[in-house]
Amino acid sequence: MESVTLVRYGEVGLKRGNRAYFVSRLCANLRRATGRAVENHFDHIVIPGRLGVSALDAVGKTFGVAAFSPAVRVPAVVERIEQAAEELVRQQLAAAERQVGAATLRVETRRRDKAFPLTSSDLDRHLGSYLQGRFAGLGVRMRAPDVHLRVEIRDAAYLYTEVRPGPGGLPVGTGGGVVGLLSGGIDSPVALWMMAKRGMEVTPLHFHAFPFTSDRSRDKVVALVERLRAWCGPLRLHVAPFAHVQRAIRDSVSEPFWTVVMRRTMMRIAERLADQVGADALVTGESLGQVASQTIEAVRAIGDATRLPVLRPLIGLDKQEITEIARRIGTYEISVLPYDDCCTLFVPRRPRTRPTVEEAQAAETGLDVDSLVREALAGVETVDAPRSPILARP
């Protein structure tokens, strides 16, 4: 009886001609996440050996995984299945500290290999009868049994009692590259996570306005990247100096247009970085109507500054929906730490909420935009394996 983890994929299995490519990438991501060898079978993946808590957690955060189960694998022979089933039920009853006479059981079989001599229903009945003979007083219950024993007959027989959900989506690395504008707020980490879930490799870009913002603000973003790495795989955080841009905007741009010009400049810097890292798009955490700079007119005026497509996966979500995702993926508690980022500085008292493209272009005519962008790119710091003191703190 061999301990394994049985991994199932959902959307990946619908790729027909490209299925092998997607499954191969999913296997590679699982190898990297768990540090274990991976077996690629026809319609499922098997990770041999017993996985610890951290490795199982990593499987549950690997995009492309629909569900997975810690299982045992035995040859698809009735006698070996009986032995494995008996041992699993014994372990489950002991773990639950249940007395056999008061415990209930359900057996559920899926027979993928039609050459197996018993049908699914036949094996259900056979195992149920066998186990009741081995555990006197063991009852049967279809709903909420104490032990729900599942058996899958595939290349071998897999037996398990637990099905854990995966995150779904597509394997990271199958959807191209994207540069993600990452602030310290709630929204942008969720936006990056959502694009990684669609298979994109994300390059996070943070604009750091030191000395207007402290190193604690930067540490907060590093902590967010650490949290996202559990889902998105290796991430290279890029930190661009931005204080010189904000000073120039404050001194040369009409106040109502500070925000839109600032974001247009961010787009240009992000676009140049995308060219350097081979990304094909940008992603932001904008949600329509959430703040004054997120009207459809402002979105258009900001997007006009780049030739690359700007992906806005949160555009139709409200704050509660975004917050729920942030809590689920573990970024919320970091995002709400009270450290300012560049987006909270130099906020105009009366922002132009519906700027036209022409107005935005006119507002920045007093800026040497190319020089500001070059200076920011020259000062970009790249952090390959960030370790944030915020997460290290007890």
Side-chain angles (χ1 to χ4, degrees), residues 124-339:
D124 286 348
R125 287 191 290 270
H126 177 83
L127 281 180
S129 176
Y130 173 84
L131 291 168
Q132 285 185 305
R134 304 298 292 181
F135 299 96
L138 182 64
V140 175
R141 182 187 292 166
M142 291 296 104
R143 292 186 177 181
D146 296 304
V147 180
H148 189 165
L149 175 65
R150 295 174 172 89
V151 183
E152 292 191 29
I153 307 297
R154 297 174 178 262
D155 57 297
Y158 297 86
L159 296 88
Y160 53 90
T161 58
E162 181 183 7
V163 179
R164 302 187 184 187
L170 298 172
V172 171
T174 59
V178 63
V179 169
L181 280 66
L182 181 64
S183 71
I186 296 172
D187 299 350
S188 57
V190 174
L192 271 60
W193 179 87
M194 290 180 73
M195 296 322 302
K197 187 178 180 183
R198 298 313 302 161
M200 302 199 81
E201 286 185 309
V202 177
T203 299
L205 170 62
H206 175 64
F207 296 97
H208 187 41
F210 183 84
F212 299 130
T213 56
S214 69
D215 283 340
R216 301 299 292 164
S217 170
R218 180 185 179 281
D219 292 343
K220 178 180 169 181
V221 173
V222 173
L224 286 169
V225 171
E226 283 189 64
R227 196 56 56 88
L228 289 172
R229 288 177 69 216
W231 300 91
C232 307
L235 293 176
R236 301 189 76 193
L237 171 64
H238 292 72
V239 181
F242 204 63
H244 67 290
V245 175
Q246 292 188 287
R247 285 195 192 96
I249 291 173
R250 178 195 60 190
D251 296 341
S252 304
V253 174
S254 174
E255 182 175 336
F257 289 92
W258 284 356
T259 300
V260 69
V261 172
M262 180 185 74
R263 294 189 180 279
R264 283 170 60 88
T265 310
M266 287 177 171
M267 289 293 169
R268 294 184 174 103
I269 296 169
E271 177 187 286
R272 295 281 293 276
L273 179 64
D275 290 340
Q276 294 176 10
V277 302
D280 299 311
L282 310 179
V283 58
T284 74
E286 290 165 307
S287 171
L288 199 62
Q290 188 174 133
V291 296
S293 64
Q294 293 180 1
T295 63
I296 192 63
E297 292 85 354
V299 165
R300 182 185 177 195
I302 293 166
D304 167 73
T306 176
R307 58 182 164 75
L308 293 180
V310 181
L311 308 178
R312 299 178 174 90
L314 311 186
I315 198 71
L317 302 184
D318 61 30
K319 199 65 178 182
Q320 182 175 349
E321 292 169 317
I322 297 168
T323 298
E324 287 174 358
I325 298 174
R327 290 184 188 277
R328 180 157 55 87
I329 67 176
T331 57
Y332 177 81
E333 64 270 25
I334 301 172
S335 292
V336 296
L337 292 172
Y339 306 124

Side-chain angles (χ1 to χ4, degrees), residues 56-99:
L56 287 172
D57 181 65
V59 174
K61 291 179 177 175
T62 300
F63 291 127
V65 173
F68 64 103
S69 297
V72 295
R73 177 167 62 181
V74 296
V77 176
V78 173
E79 290 76 15
R80 299 294 299 274
I81 295 172
E82 290 172 347
Q83 295 168 7
E86 181 179 346
E87 180 59 27
L88 268 183
V89 170
R90 190 186 311 281
Q91 292 174 4
Q92 289 296 306
L93 293 176
E97 298 181 348
R98 294 301 307 269
Q99 297 297 319

Side-chain angles (χ1 to χ4, degrees), residues 241 244 269 272 368-380:
H244 67 290
I269 296 169
R272 295 281 293 276
D368 186 349
V369 174
D370 289 341
S371 294
L372 294 172
V373 171
R374 280 198 302 271
E375 185 176 348
L377 286 168
V380 167

